[in-house]
Amino acid sequence: MNRRKFLTYVGCGCGSLLLPSCTSAPITDRKQLKLIPEAKLNAQAAQIYEKVKEKEKMSDDTKTLNEIKEIGKKMEDSISEYFYRSNLNDPTANFDWEYILIDNKKVRNAWCMPGGKIAVYTGILDVTKNTNGLAAVMGHEVAHAVAKHSVERASRGVLLNTGTRIIDIASGGILSDINRTTGMDTVGLLSQIGLMNPFNRKQESEADYLGMIFSSLSGYDIRETVKIWERMKEFNKGKEPPQFMSTHPSSDTRIKQLNDWMNDVILDYPPIEIS
């Protein structure tokens, strides 16, 4: 089979695969590509979550852990109620929510794995300061899971690897020669900076926006969200990498966007009363 026929067959095959895999993110309606089954990713995440619980030191601060669980429960209920009232499919219907507090003051972070597996590090508490701040951070992490960002990133990774192989074949192996000559994954580096990093920043901004919505729906004061990023900026002390090199927007960008969204979110997504 010659190269042209091969590329034609591959192109047709990829097209038939991509068309039924295009969906939309909840609320924002941003178009998404999902090639990886969500159930598979959720199962893998649950296994990794168990390993994290075994490896990391769990905090004995039961008061804060209970607060995390309370915030989480309010968000679970508010998110499901919002989608029910909007007559939309609940993206969290198959989630198995769980919350842990990891004792590590050096890590100012939190995360939410696919399927609703949440971890908060004690280091982030110096930034959140209060219940509304903690809810803002959790809302952001929950938003990643609700918007299926992990599924989307995994799918893009598969597509990018496939596309790179096709281009290498079409170019007669030129890309492979460049990599061997330079001793580095040139294509991978360029795709990371030129494709994946901007895409990840888009996801982060989407999680900021959706996180504000989920916090507001749950009855928390989302004005604290901006204060968090002002405090985070102070903690970073100007050591952030240039935005184009980062998977996250800069603190200044986030603060501006959050301020721009604030009033609309407060008006359009007031707290949901659940009987």
mmCIF file of all heavy atoms in Angstrom, residues 45 58 76 82 136 143 157 160 163 171 188 193 196 224 226 233 237 254:
data_model
loop_
_atom_site.group_PDB
_atom_site.id
_atom_site.type_symbol
_atom_site.label_atom_id
_atom_site.label_comp_id
_atom_site.label_asym_id
_atom_site.label_seq_id
_atom_site.Cartn_x
_atom_site.Cartn_y
_atom_site.Cartn_z
ATOM 1 N N ALA A 45 -9.144 5.954 38.437
ATOM 2 C CA ALA A 45 -8.968 7.018 39.426
ATOM 3 C C ALA A 45 -9.250 6.508 40.836
ATOM 4 O O ALA A 45 -8.543 6.847 41.787
ATOM 5 C CB ALA A 45 -9.884 8.195 39.095
ATOM 6 N N MET A 58 -2.631 11.057 56.426
ATOM 7 C CA MET A 58 -3.920 11.705 56.578
ATOM 8 C C MET A 58 -3.913 12.620 57.808
ATOM 9 O O MET A 58 -3.353 12.269 58.847
ATOM 10 C CB MET A 58 -5.032 10.664 56.719
ATOM 11 C CG MET A 58 -5.229 9.764 55.506
ATOM 12 S SD MET A 58 -5.753 10.652 54.014
ATOM 13 C CE MET A 58 -4.226 10.571 53.031
ATOM 14 N N GLU A 76 -22.507 18.641 46.057
ATOM 15 C CA GLU A 76 -23.119 17.457 45.432
ATOM 16 C C GLU A 76 -24.609 17.694 45.194
ATOM 17 O O GLU A 76 -25.121 17.497 44.076
ATOM 18 C CB GLU A 76 -22.971 16.239 46.343
ATOM 19 C CG GLU A 76 -21.571 15.723 46.525
ATOM 20 C CD GLU A 76 -21.555 14.590 47.549
ATOM 21 O OE1 GLU A 76 -22.504 13.767 47.545
ATOM 22 O OE2 GLU A 76 -20.618 14.526 48.364
ATOM 23 N N TYR A 82 -29.455 21.512 40.389
ATOM 24 C CA TYR A 82 -29.405 22.476 39.283
ATOM 25 C C TYR A 82 -29.687 21.790 37.955
ATOM 26 O O TYR A 82 -30.506 22.275 37.155
ATOM 27 C CB TYR A 82 -28.041 23.171 39.231
ATOM 28 C CG TYR A 82 -27.858 23.988 37.973
ATOM 29 C CD1 TYR A 82 -28.412 25.260 37.860
ATOM 30 C CD2 TYR A 82 -27.172 23.466 36.872
ATOM 31 C CE1 TYR A 82 -28.288 25.997 36.691
ATOM 32 C CE2 TYR A 82 -27.035 24.199 35.705
ATOM 33 C CZ TYR A 82 -27.591 25.465 35.615
ATOM 34 O OH TYR A 82 -27.474 26.180 34.448
ATOM 35 N N ALA A 136 -14.445 27.863 47.570
ATOM 36 C CA ALA A 136 -14.002 28.327 46.255
ATOM 37 C C ALA A 136 -12.991 27.361 45.644
ATOM 38 O O ALA A 136 -13.069 27.014 44.460
ATOM 39 C CB ALA A 136 -13.399 29.723 46.372
ATOM 40 N N ALA A 143 -15.290 21.261 39.645
ATOM 41 C CA ALA A 143 -15.611 21.651 38.268
ATOM 42 C C ALA A 143 -14.801 20.844 37.247
ATOM 43 O O ALA A 143 -15.309 20.494 36.175
ATOM 44 C CB ALA A 143 -15.365 23.142 38.073
ATOM 45 N N GLY A 157 -4.590 13.455 24.223
ATOM 46 C CA GLY A 157 -3.287 12.817 24.199
ATOM 47 C C GLY A 157 -3.228 11.697 23.182
ATOM 48 O O GLY A 157 -2.251 11.573 22.425
ATOM 49 N N LEU A 160 -3.267 13.292 19.713
ATOM 50 C CA LEU A 160 -1.995 13.938 19.400
ATOM 51 C C LEU A 160 -0.937 12.915 19.036
ATOM 52 O O LEU A 160 -0.179 13.091 18.078
ATOM 53 C CB LEU A 160 -1.534 14.771 20.596
ATOM 54 C CG LEU A 160 -0.302 15.649 20.391
ATOM 55 C CD1 LEU A 160 -0.556 16.685 19.309
ATOM 56 C CD2 LEU A 160 0.075 16.338 21.693
ATOM 57 N N GLY A 163 -1.768 11.584 15.598
ATOM 58 C CA GLY A 163 -1.473 12.586 14.567
ATOM 59 C C GLY A 163 0.009 12.714 14.301
ATOM 60 O O GLY A 163 0.439 12.861 13.146
ATOM 61 N N SER A 171 5.862 12.409 6.200
ATOM 62 C CA SER A 171 7.086 13.157 5.904
ATOM 63 C C SER A 171 8.273 12.239 5.632
ATOM 64 O O SER A 171 9.402 12.711 5.477
ATOM 65 C CB SER A 171 7.417 14.077 7.087
ATOM 66 O OG SER A 171 7.722 13.306 8.236
ATOM 67 N N GLY A 188 7.169 16.669 20.680
ATOM 68 C CA GLY A 188 6.431 16.654 21.944
ATOM 69 C C GLY A 188 6.511 17.989 22.662
ATOM 70 O O GLY A 188 5.519 18.475 23.212
ATOM 71 N N ILE A 193 3.825 23.095 24.260
ATOM 72 C CA ILE A 193 3.756 24.546 24.385
ATOM 73 C C ILE A 193 2.687 25.135 23.471
ATOM 74 O O ILE A 193 1.946 26.047 23.841
ATOM 75 C CB ILE A 193 5.127 25.177 24.069
ATOM 76 C CG1 ILE A 193 6.149 24.748 25.127
ATOM 77 C CG2 ILE A 193 5.028 26.698 24.004
ATOM 78 C CD1 ILE A 193 7.555 25.217 24.839
ATOM 79 N N MET A 196 -1.061 21.721 23.928
ATOM 80 C CA MET A 196 -1.590 21.220 25.184
ATOM 81 C C MET A 196 -1.642 22.291 26.270
ATOM 82 O O MET A 196 -2.615 22.390 27.012
ATOM 83 C CB MET A 196 -0.764 20.028 25.664
ATOM 84 C CG MET A 196 -0.868 18.807 24.744
ATOM 85 S SD MET A 196 -2.575 18.239 24.488
ATOM 86 C CE MET A 196 -2.915 17.459 26.068
ATOM 87 N N GLU A 224 -14.971 35.787 47.767
ATOM 88 C CA GLU A 224 -13.731 35.323 48.393
ATOM 89 C C GLU A 224 -12.777 34.707 47.370
ATOM 90 O O GLU A 224 -11.561 34.621 47.611
ATOM 91 C CB GLU A 224 -14.050 34.303 49.487
ATOM 92 C CG GLU A 224 -12.892 33.964 50.405
ATOM 93 C CD GLU A 224 -12.467 35.124 51.297
ATOM 94 O OE1 GLU A 224 -13.321 35.996 51.577
ATOM 95 O OE2 GLU A 224 -11.283 35.153 51.699
ATOM 96 N N VAL A 226 -11.675 35.809 44.467
ATOM 97 C CA VAL A 226 -10.651 36.758 44.025
ATOM 98 C C VAL A 226 -9.597 36.948 45.107
ATOM 99 O O VAL A 226 -8.391 37.009 44.819
ATOM 100 C CB VAL A 226 -11.300 38.112 43.661
ATOM 101 C CG1 VAL A 226 -10.227 39.170 43.392
ATOM 102 C CG2 VAL A 226 -12.199 37.960 42.446
ATOM 103 N N LYS A 233 -1.014 34.858 44.869
ATOM 104 C CA LYS A 233 -0.003 35.658 44.179
ATOM 105 C C LYS A 233 1.074 36.111 45.157
ATOM 106 O O LYS A 233 2.267 36.108 44.839
ATOM 107 C CB LYS A 233 -0.665 36.854 43.505
ATOM 108 C CG LYS A 233 0.288 37.711 42.689
ATOM 109 C CD LYS A 233 -0.456 38.868 42.036
ATOM 110 C CE LYS A 233 0.509 39.762 41.269
ATOM 111 N NZ LYS A 233 -0.205 40.915 40.637
ATOM 112 N N LYS A 237 5.193 35.069 45.188
ATOM 113 C CA LYS A 237 6.232 36.101 45.186
ATOM 114 C C LYS A 237 6.888 36.279 43.823
ATOM 115 O O LYS A 237 8.116 36.333 43.699
ATOM 116 C CB LYS A 237 7.294 35.767 46.245
ATOM 117 C CG LYS A 237 6.756 35.766 47.664
ATOM 118 C CD LYS A 237 7.823 35.402 48.675
ATOM 119 C CE LYS A 237 7.260 35.411 50.098
ATOM 120 N NZ LYS A 237 8.261 35.018 51.109
ATOM 121 N N ARG A 254 -6.227 35.290 36.109
ATOM 122 C CA ARG A 254 -7.332 34.674 36.853
ATOM 123 C C ARG A 254 -8.115 35.739 37.629
ATOM 124 O O ARG A 254 -9.348 35.733 37.639
ATOM 125 C CB ARG A 254 -6.805 33.613 37.816
ATOM 126 C CG ARG A 254 -6.119 32.462 37.134
ATOM 127 C CD ARG A 254 -5.714 31.398 38.133
ATOM 128 N NE ARG A 254 -6.583 30.242 38.010
ATOM 129 C CZ ARG A 254 -6.168 28.987 38.155
ATOM 130 N NH1 ARG A 254 -4.915 28.736 38.425
ATOM 131 N NH2 ARG A 254 -7.015 27.990 38.034
#
